[in-house]
């Protein structure tokens, strides 16, 4: 139904000014609607991706964090909540609160929430 292309990743430090209590891993991305119906890029991301970090005894699912509000992300926020027309592409941004700023994050992709596994990517935070 959609193609998601990750454009960049960045770690943001905690910030009182931007209401970040923990460090965050930020993904900027583009979603292209490959279906015949409008779809939402943010909903597509949430349905298809899961971020985790390994702890001492567990694999921790990372929580979605507050969307970064810094000016440099303005173009990613502009159409974040809009539906994408069939064949159209829109930018988006997703942030995850990081449990351990030194541990690798694993981003897993599936075809929808309970769909076929599509792959995973390890992201070094250092």
């Amino acid at each position: 139904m959609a193609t998601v292309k990750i454009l960049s990743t960045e770690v943001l430090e905690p910030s009182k000014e931007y209401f970040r209590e923990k460090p965050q891993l930020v993904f900027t991305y583009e979603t292209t609607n490959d279906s015949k119906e409008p779809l939402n890029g943010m909903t597509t991301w949430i349905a298809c991706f899961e971020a985790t970090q390994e702890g001492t005894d567990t694999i921790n699912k990372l929580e979605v964090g507050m969307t970064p509000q810094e000016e440099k992300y303005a173009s990613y926020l502009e159409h974040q909540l809009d539906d994408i027309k069939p064949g159209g592409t829109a930018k988006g941004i997703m942030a995850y609160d990081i449990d351990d700023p030194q541990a690798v994050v694993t981003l897993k992709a599936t075809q929808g929430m309970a769909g076929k596994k599509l792959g995973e990517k390890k992201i070094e935070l250092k």
Side-chain angles (χ1 to χ4, degrees), residues 1 8-9 14 16-18 26 28 33 42 56 58-59 64 67 69-70 79-80 95 114 119 126:
M1 292 178 57
S8 69
T9 60
K16 289 183 182 182
E17 178 182 1
Y18 293 111
V26 175
T28 57
N33 183 351
M42 179 184 277
T56 305
T58 61
I59 298 171
V64 172
T67 303
Q69 298 299 310
E70 286 88 338
H79 297 290
Q80 175 93 349
K126 300 176 192 177

Side-chain angles (χ1 to χ4, degrees), residues 9-26 65-70 72-73 95-102 125-126:
T9 60
E10 180 179 5
V11 175
L12 300 178
E13 296 300 321
S15 168
K16 289 183 182 182
E17 178 182 1
Y18 293 111
F19 307 102
R20 267 193 305 274
E21 294 180 14
K22 290 183 167 185
Q24 286 185 328
L25 176 58
V26 175
M66 177 173 264
T67 303
Q69 298 299 310
E70 286 88 338
K72 68 181 180 178
Y73 297 118
Y96 292 92
D97 291 336
I98 300 170
D99 292 328
D100 179 352
Q102 304 300 316
L125 301 181
K126 300 176 192 177

Side-chain angles (χ1 to χ4, degrees), residues 52-54 62 100-106 121-125:
T52 61
Q53 280 187 312
E54 288 193 29
L62 299 182
D100 179 352
Q102 304 300 316
V104 171
V105 170
T106 302
K121 180 172 180 65
K122 303 275 186 194
I123 298 141
E124 297 281 343
L125 301 181

